[in-house]
Amino acid sequence: MALHYEAHGPADGDAVLLSSGLGGSAGFWQPQLRALLDAGHRVITYDHRGTGRSSAALHPAHAIADMARDVIEILDATSTPRCHLVGHALGGLIGLQLALDAPSRVASLALVNAWARTDAHTLRCFGARIALLDACGARAYVEAQPIFLYPAAWCAAHAQRVADEVEHALAHFPGAANMHARIGALRDFDVDARLGDIAVPVLVAAAMDDVLVPWTCSQRLAQGLPHATFECVLHGGHAHSVTDAAAFNRGLLAFLARVATPEVPA
């Protein structure tokens, strides 16, 4: 099965690969795309295997390491020697795994509401979501999704947008088996003892009102990485890259400017 990916921007721009969270959709990064392109980056987006336009049945033992190998496949297909990987939640886990398994392919990491080892609170949230899916079906699962992604006030102020997202998610739902496999992969992820092996610069971004992943998980992640910058905002929820995209983009672009790949002398 071919993975669906797109490369935007100048071929000689510093490559930024965007890896989304549990939903797996490249569309999650729409609020960042224009800002990155305007800054001169080459931007690679993709739908994770088993989601969206990369539809495929996943093995029940599908793991974060398998997802990291998919990123290598995309980098090879786009003739990208290495990239700055920006990952949201599960996408951040993919970035950490890639930096451990293929460090030469990673120039830097930006990890948004990610973690090194899955917290008990996050496990409880995903357990409840799986129970809802199994007992009530796909619609109930996707109707609950905004509760975990966005602050309540933001959902209320953007009610139609949230409703449209729910309908889109339902229309493109990857199936219960794939959701079980993807949640199982993040549930089993644990690189806490290996963080010291990740030598690249890392931006760790979190929001204190994230109801799915405690911000302290990002704090712990940053403390374990040798070259991490920790930025935590008060509001914005699990998807603060969406709910406060302007502020998030400023921080991301500033980080990328600091760690830009130096030009190789001719």
Side-chain angles (χ1 to χ4, degrees):
M1 188 278 302
L3 289 161
H4 178 89
Y5 61 88
E6 297 177 3
H8 309 266
D12 59 349
D14 236 18
V16 177
L17 184 138
L18 304 176
S19 187
S20 58
L22 184 61
S25 171
F28 177 81
W29 298 104
Q30 194 61 39
Q32 281 68 57
L33 189 57
R34 186 72 263 159
L36 288 165
L37 291 174
D38 287 347
H41 293 287
R42 182 175 187 238
V43 183
I44 301 168
T45 61
Y46 74 108
D47 290 349
H48 290 194
R49 186 179 301 275
T51 74
R53 294 158 293 182
S54 298
S55 178
L58 298 177
H59 190 279
H62 192 59
I64 301 297
D66 298 315
M67 301 181 200
R69 283 190 288 272
D70 284 342
V71 172
I72 294 174
E73 179 180 322
I74 291 167
L75 294 177
D76 289 344
T78 56
S79 301
T80 305
R82 65 177 188 161
C83 68
H84 301 278
L85 190 146
V86 183
H88 176 255
L90 182 145
L93 313 191
I94 295 171
L96 289 166
Q97 189 72 56
L98 183 66
L100 290 167
D101 294 347
S104 66
R105 310 306 296 269
V106 180
S108 73
L109 296 172
L111 309 175
V112 187
N113 291 321
W115 60 91
R117 180 174 62 205
T118 312
D119 181 79
H121 172 79
T122 304
L123 289 173
R124 185 178 301 110
C125 290
F126 280 118
R129 293 174 74 178
I130 282 292
L132 188 62
L133 173 62
D134 291 346
C136 302
R139 175 165 285 281
Y141 177 90
V142 298
E143 288 281 4
Q145 185 165 288
I147 299 171
F148 294 99
L149 280 178
Y150 308 128
W154 191 91
C155 283
H158 299 83
Q160 188 57 56
R161 174 174 174 172
V162 171
D164 291 344
E165 285 185 5
V166 165
E167 293 305 319
H168 183 271
L170 184 61
H172 297 86
F173 190 70
N178 278 10
M179 292 310 304
H180 272 273
R182 286 173 62 75
I183 289 175
L186 65 81
R187 179 197 61 211
D188 295 339
F189 184 77
D190 184 352
V191 295
D192 199 56
R194 302 180 63 194
L195 292 178
D197 296 333
I198 297 176
V200 299
V202 183
L203 172 65
V204 179
M208 284 192 173
D209 62 348
D210 184 346
V211 300
L212 180 61
V213 182
W215 69 270
T216 49
C217 292
S218 291
Q219 182 184 53
R220 177 184 174 86
L221 175 58
Q223 290 170 343
L225 291 162
H227 307 289
T229 299
F230 180 49
E231 295 185 359
C232 191
V233 298
L234 292 175
H235 305 293
H238 187 60
H240 71 277
S241 58
V242 175
T243 61
D244 196 356
F248 175 83
N249 291 349
R250 285 194 297 271
L252 176 61
L253 291 174
F255 170 74
L256 291 172
R258 293 197 301 270
V259 301
T261 305
E263 292 185 6
V264 178

